[in-house]
């Protein structure tokens, strides 16, 4: 079994089309077909069902694909480890983040890091809270910034960077807009604009409301922080969002108010895999981001 055969097999399985796989691989279709046939002959099983020009994995083909994808991750990590051992200053860091940390937190940290390590490259992936944790567990990401930090996920290690307030964002025309702070109970009868069910920020808001004995009336949902802010700006409801998302970007026709009862907060931190060590470039960034927020916290105190 050759590495080239595995690469061809994975590409065909992903695209379910030999010609499209060949184009993506920049090789002749006949070369791809021949390697697939050789691989099946060596294994003694059919990996694909042929359906005209399309192909589909057999059940054993699907099982084989899962193992080969894991094997390729191991090979890629080994290659990266060798390269970064030779020169960690030219490594690649794959990092994930949610939309609530996209506008300020992550760009600020990466910018500061690149001042000291200009040749380290980043592959950035924005995703939901659960998907980010799963990607770190599976090895698709090296680390992720998340908030709040997971408590019961054994396959990741969590390191807190800071704790931030969840604040209310109201239309400027709202009756409470002139106040400096509010209690959450004062928004009991308002229409809320929140993330969809399953998003961790939705859970934080609903938990806070539940403490006061009510369920927020959700008029609109958005899976992006900027979309939610835009809906509030249009006067379509109120929301509770992390304060850091408003540092440089308070939407027009809105006001930000602190919630004093109950105080709603979230921890923000970085998660890394617990079952494999960080590569040299990854460790450089991991240590940097922890030190960065320690220094920032001292200045804020």
């Amino acid at each position: 079994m050759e590495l080239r055969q595995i690469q061809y097999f994975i590409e065909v399985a992903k695209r379910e089309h030999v010609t499209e796989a060949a184009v993506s691989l920049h090789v002749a279709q006949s070369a791809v077909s021949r390697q697939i046939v050789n691989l099946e002959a060596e294994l003694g099983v059919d990996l694909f069902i042929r359906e005209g020009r399309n192909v589909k994995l057999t059940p054993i083909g699907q099982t084989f694909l899962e193992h080969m994808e894991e094997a390729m991750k191991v090979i890629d990590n080994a290659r990266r480890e060798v390269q970064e051992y030779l020169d960690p200053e030219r490594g690649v860091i794959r990092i994930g983040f949610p939309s609530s940390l996209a506008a300020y937190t992550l760009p600020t940290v990466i910018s500061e890091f690149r001042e000291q390590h200009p040749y380290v490259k980043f592959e950035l992936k924005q995703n939901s809270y659960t998907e980010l944790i799963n990607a770190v567990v599976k090895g698709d990401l090296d680390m992720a910034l998340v908030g709040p930090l997971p408590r019961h996920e054994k396959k990741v290690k969590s390191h807190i960077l800071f704790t931030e307030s969840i604040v209310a964002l109201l239309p400027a025309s709202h009756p409470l807009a002139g106040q400096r702070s509010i209690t959450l109970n004062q928004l009991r009868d308002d229409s809320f604009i929140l993330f969809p069910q399953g998003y961790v920020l939705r859970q934080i808001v609903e938990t806070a409301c539940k403490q006061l004995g009510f369920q927020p009336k959700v008029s609109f949902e958005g899976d992006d922080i900027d979309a939610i802010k835009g809906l509030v700006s249009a006067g379509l409801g109120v929301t509770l969002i992390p304060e850091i998302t408003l540092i440089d970007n308070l939407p027009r026709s809105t006001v930000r108010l602190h919630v004093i009862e109950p105080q709603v907060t979230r921890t923000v931190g970085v998660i890394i895999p617990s079952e494999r060590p960080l590569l040299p470039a990854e460790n450089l960034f991991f240590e940097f981001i922890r030190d960065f927020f320690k220094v920032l916290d001292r200045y804020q105190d």
Side-chain angles (χ1 to χ4, degrees):
M1 190 183 306
E2 300 177 4
L3 183 59
R4 179 175 55 178
Q5 290 177 325
I6 303 306
Q7 292 170 328
Y8 288 8
F9 164 72
I10 291 175
E11 194 66 25
V12 172
K14 182 171 65 175
R15 298 181 181 276
E16 296 187 338
H17 199 285
V18 176
T19 302
E20 292 180 6
V23 171
S24 175
L25 292 164
H26 304 291
V27 297
Q29 177 183 333
S30 58
V32 175
S33 298
R34 183 169 59 255
Q35 291 300 332
I36 295 297
V37 169
N38 291 344
L39 180 60
E40 289 179 319
E42 180 178 345
L43 294 172
V45 296
D46 290 331
L47 298 172
F48 293 101
I49 300 170
R50 275 70 177 178
E51 300 176 341
R53 295 184 177 182
N54 296 321
V55 295
K56 191 173 182 179
L57 285 169
T58 62
I60 190 61
Q62 180 63 46
T63 299
F64 186 69
L65 173 65
E66 293 169 4
H67 286 297
M68 290 303 99
E69 286 180 328
E70 290 300 316
M72 290 303 296
K73 287 178 185 177
V74 172
I75 292 171
D76 288 341
N77 283 338
R79 184 184 293 115
R80 289 174 59 205
E81 189 164 358
V82 171
Q83 292 171 343
E84 291 183 23
Y85 176 80
L86 295 173
D87 188 359
E89 292 289 345
R90 294 183 181 274
V92 178
I93 302 167
R94 303 170 302 169
I95 185 168
F97 57 96
S99 65
S100 62
L101 299 174
Y104 180 80
T105 306
L106 186 61
T108 300
V109 175
I110 290 179
S111 177
E112 292 291 330
F113 179 79
R114 290 291 297 275
E115 289 290 324
Q116 299 180 24
H117 309 281
Y119 300 110
V120 174
K121 296 180 180 180
F122 288 85
E123 293 180 2
L124 306 178
K125 178 70 173 179
Q126 181 175 317
N127 217 323
S128 67
Y129 180 79
T130 302
E131 289 301 318
L132 290 173
I133 296 172
N134 290 339
V136 172
V137 170
K138 293 190 295 184
D140 296 329
L141 291 173
D142 303 319
M143 64 185 74
L145 293 181
V146 296
L149 291 172
R151 295 181 179 180
H152 306 296
E153 178 53 67
K154 295 181 180 180
K155 293 187 177 181
V156 300
K157 295 179 182 177
S158 300
H159 298 268
I160 187 171
L161 299 175
F162 59 91
T163 300
E164 69 167 332
S165 297
I166 305 295
V167 299
L169 187 69
L170 279 57
S173 59
H174 194 281
L176 300 174
Q179 299 189 198
R180 289 188 174 183
S181 60
I182 59 172
T183 66
L184 185 55
N185 199 51
Q186 289 177 277
L187 301 177
R188 174 187 291 266
D189 297 324
D190 280 271
S191 295
F192 279 75
I193 301 165
L194 300 177
F195 280 90
Q197 288 289 352
Y199 279 69
V200 68
L201 285 175
R202 170 72 169 256
Q203 296 171 12
I204 289 174
V205 175
E206 289 185 333
T207 298
C209 293
K210 188 176 181 180
Q211 290 178 32
L212 301 178
F214 74 95
Q215 180 75 17
K217 294 180 290 186
V218 181
S219 55
F220 293 94
E221 295 179 342
D223 59 6
D224 181 84
I225 202 79
D226 287 329
I228 291 174
K229 290 189 289 187
L231 291 170
V232 175
S233 178
L236 298 176
V238 304
T239 194
L240 267 62
I241 56 177
E243 188 171 23
I244 203 165
T245 65
L246 300 171
I247 286 181
D248 294 325
N249 184 22
L250 185 66
R252 61 177 179 80
S253 303
T254 66
V255 295
R256 172 183 57 197
L257 299 176
H258 286 283
V259 180
I260 58 174
E261 185 184 336
Q263 289 188 335
V264 188
T265 62
R266 71 165 180 172
T267 56
V268 176
V270 58
I271 58 172
I272 60 175
S274 61
E275 297 182 347
R276 75 164 180 86
L278 295 178
L279 299 182
E282 299 165 18
N283 197 58
L284 272 178
F285 184 71
F286 177 67
E287 295 297 335
F288 176 88
I289 195 172
R290 292 201 299 173
D291 291 342
F292 178 85
F293 281 100
K294 284 179 183 177
V295 172
L296 195 64
D297 186 56
R298 285 201 296 268
Y299 276 109
Q300 290 176 340
D301 291 342

